[in-house]
Amino acid sequence: MPGRLYGIGLGPGDPELMTLKAHRLISGAQVIAYPTLAGAQSFARSIAAGVIPADAREIVMDVPMTPERTPAQAAYDQGAADISEALDAGNDVICLCEGDPFFYGSFMYLFARLSQRYEVEVVPGVTSVTTCAARAGLPLAARNERLTVLPGPLPEDELRSRIEGAESVAIMKVGRHLSKIRAVIDALGFTDQAVYVERASLPDEVVCPLNDAPEKAPYFSMILLTKGADPWL
Amino acid sequence: MPGRLYGIGLGPGDPELMTLKAHRLISGAQVIAYPTLAGAQSFARSIAAGVIPADAREIVMDVPMTPERTPAQAAYDQGAADISEALDAGNDVICLCEGDPFFYGSFMYLFARLSQRYEVEVVPGVTSVTTCAARAGLPLAARNERLTVLPGPLPEDELRSRIEGAESVAIMKVGRHLSKIRAVIDALGFTDQAVYVERASLPDEVVCPLNDAPEKAPYFSMILLTKGADPWL
């Protein structure tokens, strides 16, 4: 009997925001797997570090940072092959994912490669979107309000048209796109309603009005705009 | 010293999908609070039932189901007054919320009434959106894809225009709006890409193509449309 592959969402960063199910599965893991970006430390692994058994085998997929897709594809191909080998040997494999595996997570590349051949279970996790809202004290959506999630790397024109027609907006992966996003929000006149959140739930978290945001934003930063929220039922 | 109010997300229904932090805080609760709808059982309380201490005091806000706002407002006003009393007596109050407190959650009505006067901490939870995606094996969004969350009660015209211009779409609170939503998705030609999920993560969960959805949907049901997802990095 081959093992089962688990894609496990670990939540936004605070290890206490992982689910009981994630905790149970990682505590009992024989084999864990996770990607790293160009040799950097894995954020997902750092969230789970206190729970990973000392004798668990670790499959690391080192994904190069290049604009071309082929080298990254090769890294996931190799990772999928290594995971297959462990599954074929009868071991379950626990793949660690920051946030939620299917919400901008790299686990979907493994899911696409392996879900036809193996039993795969995806364990959802707390996303950065609701964590940022919680930390900022900003209700995201009530009743019949809409929520739009936009990645910061989108082109300026597209960001503008998507923000303009939306109610609540969460802009993910702000990073080096911060000044472009600020310009769009300024031009639309929404700066006073925008909040900047960096590394939500971690000890070095930053929450402030967009106007006070630092000039340089890390990849794990977000801008929340809640134009429509009407919490006064 | 007044106590602290916690708004705690319990996740989508499976008690194992609550966070370690939710578990810790509920386990130690002296006072818990939650709304019920027109005397029905509280879904949030049922998720937490195995963790609530036997001697915890329970503040129940019974919210009437009427189209007018005033009776519901009065229920939250009374709940806020009861919670204030407990906080003023120095007790922390744990408010139980299915899913995430700030994502279509009623906690925001208490937050609006109490956050100016008391310390409030919102603990995010796993939402039904990523849970439905996990259970359906459908990655929601990768790279620069957009995700739109729409409540099913929106008018037909608005649903149509919002779905038409979107990539991935999650339609929440399907319930009695199922046939209207199906008609919109059919007219747009997206029915083959649509999945129906009911009571995700619970023992009586239903996951099926929209074409095979039952005629009657409960309130806790969702339709996922992933037109743009390209997981084959």
Side-chain angles (χ1 to χ4, degrees):
Chain A
M1 274 273 288
R4 179 189 281 207
L5 174 61
Y6 291 90
I8 298 202
L10 296 167
D14 175 353
E16 235 197 338
L17 292 178
M18 84 174 62
T19 62
L20 301 174
K21 186 165 185 173
H23 189 274
R24 170 174 63 82
L25 289 167
I26 298 166
S27 301
Q30 298 165 298
V31 184
I32 66 168
Y34 51 88
T36 56
L37 265 183
Q41 274 218 308
S42 159
F43 180 40
R45 195 194 183 288
S46 76
I47 299 172
V51 189
I52 299 170
D55 60 351
R57 193 185 136 210
E58 306 198 12
I59 296 174
V60 184
M61 289 156 272
D62 193 50
V63 181
M65 279 178 80
T66 62
E68 307 92 56
R69 279 190 173 193
T70 319
Q73 285 173 322
Y76 286 109
D77 287 343
Q78 181 60 53
D82 294 344
I83 290 170
S84 289
E85 212 177 279
L87 294 170
D88 287 336
N91 291 311
D92 291 343
V93 177
I94 302 292
C95 189
L96 306 176
C97 314
E98 62 250 14
D100 181 279
F102 277 175
F103 187 72
Y104 301 101
S106 56
F107 180 72
M108 58 186 85
Y109 309 133
L110 295 172
F111 184 81
R113 284 165 172 79
L114 295 167
S115 63
Q116 300 296 315
R117 286 187 287 143
Y118 298 96
E119 216 182 314
V120 182
E121 183 173 346
V122 177
V123 179
V126 174
T127 69
S128 55
V129 173
T130 64
T131 306
C132 286
R135 302 301 302 159
L138 277 182
L140 275 175
R143 287 182 294 282
N144 290 344
E145 292 165 359
R146 295 172 274 115
L147 169 67
T148 306
V149 181
L150 302 172
L154 286 176
E156 193 167 332
D157 282 357
E158 174 149 16
L159 278 177
R160 182 178 301 113
S161 67
R162 296 291 166 193
I163 293 172
E164 203 165 15
E167 282 175 343
S168 284
V169 180
I171 306 169
M172 318 256 307
K173 311 183 190 183
V174 170
R176 61 192 175 80
H177 304 280
L178 178 60
S179 62
K180 172 188 70 182
I181 301 167
R182 284 177 88 137
V184 169
I185 293 176
D186 259 342
L188 291 169
F190 296 141
T191 300
D192 289 346
Q193 291 133 283
V195 168
Y196 170 85
V197 186
E198 181 179 309
R199 297 174 62 73
S201 87
L202 290 164
D204 54 352
E205 168 188 278
V206 175
V207 180
C208 64
L210 179 56
N211 258 328
D212 304 337
E215 278 197 28
K216 288 207 168 186
Y219 179 80
F220 285 112
S221 55
M222 189 177 299
I223 293 170
L224 291 178
L225 260 174
T226 54
K227 294 185 285 177
D230 157 28
W232 291 97
L233 176 86
Chain B
M1 274 273 288
R4 180 190 281 206
L5 174 61
Y6 291 90
I8 298 203
L10 295 167
D14 176 353
E16 235 198 336
L17 292 178
M18 84 174 61
T19 63
L20 301 174
K21 187 165 185 172
H23 189 274
R24 171 175 63 80
L25 289 167
I26 298 166
S27 302
Q30 298 166 295
V31 183
I32 65 167
Y34 50 88
T36 55
L37 266 183
Q41 273 217 309
S42 159
F43 181 40
R45 195 194 183 287
S46 76
I47 299 172
V51 190
I52 299 169
D55 59 352
R57 192 186 134 208
E58 306 199 11
I59 296 174
V60 184
M61 288 156 273
D62 193 50
V63 181
M65 279 177 81
T66 62
E68 307 93 54
R69 280 193 172 189
T70 320
Q73 285 174 322
Y76 286 109
D77 286 344
Q78 182 61 51
D82 294 345
I83 290 170
S84 288
E85 212 177 280
L87 294 170
D88 287 336
N91 290 311
D92 291 343
V93 176
I94 303 291
C95 188
L96 306 176
C97 314
E98 61 251 15
D100 180 280
F102 277 175
F103 187 71
Y104 301 101
S106 57
F107 181 71
M108 58 186 84
Y109 309 133
L110 294 173
F111 185 82
R113 285 165 171 79
L114 295 167
S115 64
Q116 301 296 314
R117 288 188 288 142
Y118 299 95
E119 216 181 315
V120 182
E121 183 172 346
V122 178
V123 179
V126 173
T127 68
S128 54
V129 174
T130 65
T131 306
C132 286
R135 301 302 302 159
L138 277 181
L140 275 175
R143 289 182 293 281
N144 291 344
E145 291 166 1
R146 295 172 275 114
L147 170 66
T148 305
V149 181
L150 302 173
L154 287 175
E156 193 167 332
D157 283 357
E158 174 150 15
L159 277 177
R160 184 180 300 115
S161 66
R162 297 291 165 194
I163 294 172
E164 201 165 16
E167 282 175 341
S168 282
V169 180
I171 306 170
M172 318 256 305
K173 311 182 190 182
V174 170
R176 62 193 176 80
H177 304 279
L178 178 60
S179 62
K180 173 189 69 182
I181 301 167
R182 285 176 89 136
V184 169
I185 293 176
D186 259 341
L188 292 169
F190 295 141
T191 300
D192 288 346
Q193 291 134 283
V195 168
Y196 170 85
V197 187
E198 181 180 310
R199 296 177 62 76
S201 87
L202 290 164
D204 54 351
E205 168 188 280
V206 175
V207 180
C208 66
L210 178 56
N211 259 327
D212 304 337
E215 278 195 30
K216 287 208 168 186
Y219 180 80
F220 286 113
S221 55
M222 189 177 299
I223 292 171
L224 291 177
L225 261 173
T226 54
K227 295 186 284 178
D230 157 28
W232 291 97
L233 178 88

